[in-house]
Amino acid sequence: MSRKQTLADRCDCEVIHEDIVNQVREKMPQEETLYELADFFKVFGDSTRIRILWALDEAEMCVCDIAALLNMTQSAISHQLWVLKQAKLVRNRKEGKVVYYSLDDEHVRLILDQGLTHIKEV
Amino acid sequence: MSRKQTLADRCDCEVIHEDIVNQVREKMPQEETLYELADFFKVFGDSTRIRILWALDEAEMCVCDIAALLNMTQSAISHQLWVLKQAKLVRNRKEGKVVYYSLDDEHVRLILDQGLTHIKEV
DNA sequence: ATAATATGTGAATAGTTGCTCATGTGTTCA
DNA sequence: TGAACACATGAGCAACTATTCACATATTAT
């Protein structure tokens, strides 16, 4: 019975550095925040959405244009634009039948660039 | 027959701004790069991995400690650490039976912080 | 050598997700 | 009014993924 009872029973090995674990636990952001953070990055974790973001960083475009540019169906693009809008990464304006999308966040480019920096270094 | 033949046939609507589409297409990075970028961000798109990265930013830790900290099995953590290592985000060193993990990239914190900035603004 | 411990790993599974297909909504134009 | 067009959206499916489970490997201690 050497198991530390203060820690959950789901780990099947001992806690080696309890002091460090407790110290780090105090500094961790709250669970909710970390989940939101993961959800935010999940949006960048798809090549279609990455391409859309990259394209919109170059110019405002309508759904048809994006579909043609990326060689995909309008429906697929529309679904992804919905995801991007939920994440507050793009905004849209309607002009007659046509809906124009553009970036809605100034650090989208910064985030993409930092990702690029990483994969280029490796 | 007004459809532009220069563009793929998978889009079920017309191209409205052909000049802009062509212009943006020229500026887009190559496909390969965009896929790598998506794969890179995919790693951040999971709350377990986000929590591991956050923890390792505070202190170097062994697998057991991380499992205890996050209240998960050692096996689950080990699998995720493998993913993080593939992405060159963590490195490890062995000391006897114990394997210590730490961050292997100085912009991990930057990327996390920018994600945080975004979700806080919204 | 044997037991105990820390970690790695393959297979299986449950949950998630991106796309397609069909259809609906809203707008323009004849 | 109705046809044509741009876009949105729900259901369904195939592909992917995170976790669990069982077990393998490696190191230490007795």
Side-chain angles (χ1 to χ4, degrees):
Chain A
M1 253 310 287
S2 64
R3 164 153 259 136
K4 315 292 188 300
Q5 287 298 336
T6 48
L7 291 160
D9 215 36
R10 300 191 56 203
C11 178
D12 53 351
C13 57
E14 303 295 325
V15 177
I16 300 181
H17 314 87
E18 194 172 11
D19 49 341
I20 291 181
V21 170
N22 289 330
Q23 198 174 319
V24 171
R25 180 177 284 126
E26 284 173 19
K27 290 187 181 175
M28 294 281 282
Q30 64 182 104
E31 288 284 294
E32 176 70 10
T33 304
L34 295 171
Y35 276 95
E36 284 177 29
L37 202 50
D39 284 338
F40 173 70
F41 284 116
K42 209 169 288 181
V43 178
F44 288 87
D46 176 76
S47 62
T48 299
R49 288 192 292 267
I50 286 278
R51 291 189 296 165
I52 293 175
L53 290 174
W54 202 283
L56 292 182
D57 186 56
E58 296 291 344
E60 177 190 65
M61 290 198 285
C62 69
V63 182
C64 267
D65 292 342
I66 301 173
L69 171 67
L70 304 186
N71 193 25
M72 291 179 68
T73 65
Q74 171 267 319
S75 179
I77 299 301
S78 200
H79 278 293
Q80 296 300 357
L81 283 170
W82 183 86
V83 175
L84 290 169
K85 197 177 178 187
Q86 294 305 304
K88 310 273 188 188
L89 293 175
V90 303
R91 60 163 166 266
N92 57 6
R93 68 183 174 86
K94 198 167 182 180
E95 201 170 284
K97 292 183 291 188
V98 184
V99 179
Y100 291 92
Y101 282 85
S102 56
L103 290 191
D104 189 22
D105 193 280
E106 64 282 357
H107 20 84
V108 166
R109 185 54 180 258
L110 281 172
I111 292 177
L112 290 180
D113 279 340
Q114 263 172 6
L116 261 189
T117 303
H118 179 90
I119 63 176
K120 278 179 182 169
E121 277 177 5
V122 179
Chain B
M1 255 308 287
S2 64
R3 162 154 258 138
K4 313 293 187 302
Q5 287 297 338
T6 49
L7 291 158
D9 216 36
R10 300 191 59 204
C11 176
D12 54 353
C13 57
E14 304 295 325
V15 177
I16 300 182
H17 313 89
E18 193 171 11
D19 51 340
I20 291 180
V21 170
N22 288 330
Q23 197 175 320
V24 171
R25 179 175 287 125
E26 284 173 19
K27 290 186 180 174
M28 293 281 284
Q30 64 183 102
E31 288 285 294
E32 176 70 10
T33 305
L34 296 171
Y35 276 95
E36 284 177 27
L37 202 51
D39 284 337
F40 174 70
F41 284 116
K42 209 168 287 180
V43 178
F44 288 87
D46 176 78
S47 62
T48 298
R49 288 191 293 266
I50 286 279
R51 291 189 296 164
I52 292 175
L53 290 174
W54 202 282
L56 293 182
D57 186 56
E58 296 291 344
E60 177 190 64
M61 290 198 286
C62 69
V63 183
C64 268
D65 292 342
I66 302 174
L69 172 66
L70 304 187
N71 192 25
M72 292 179 66
T73 65
Q74 172 269 320
S75 180
I77 300 300
S78 197
H79 277 294
Q80 295 300 354
L81 283 169
W82 183 86
V83 175
L84 290 169
K85 196 176 179 188
Q86 294 305 304
K88 310 275 188 187
L89 293 175
V90 304
R91 62 165 165 266
N92 57 7
R93 68 182 175 83
K94 197 167 183 180
E95 201 170 282
K97 290 184 288 187
V98 184
V99 179
Y100 292 92
Y101 282 84
S102 56
L103 290 191
D104 189 22
D105 193 282
E106 65 281 357
H107 19 83
V108 165
R109 186 53 181 259
L110 282 173
I111 292 177
L112 290 180
D113 279 341
Q114 265 173 4
L116 260 190
T117 304
H118 179 90
I119 64 176
K120 278 180 182 169
E121 277 177 4
V122 180

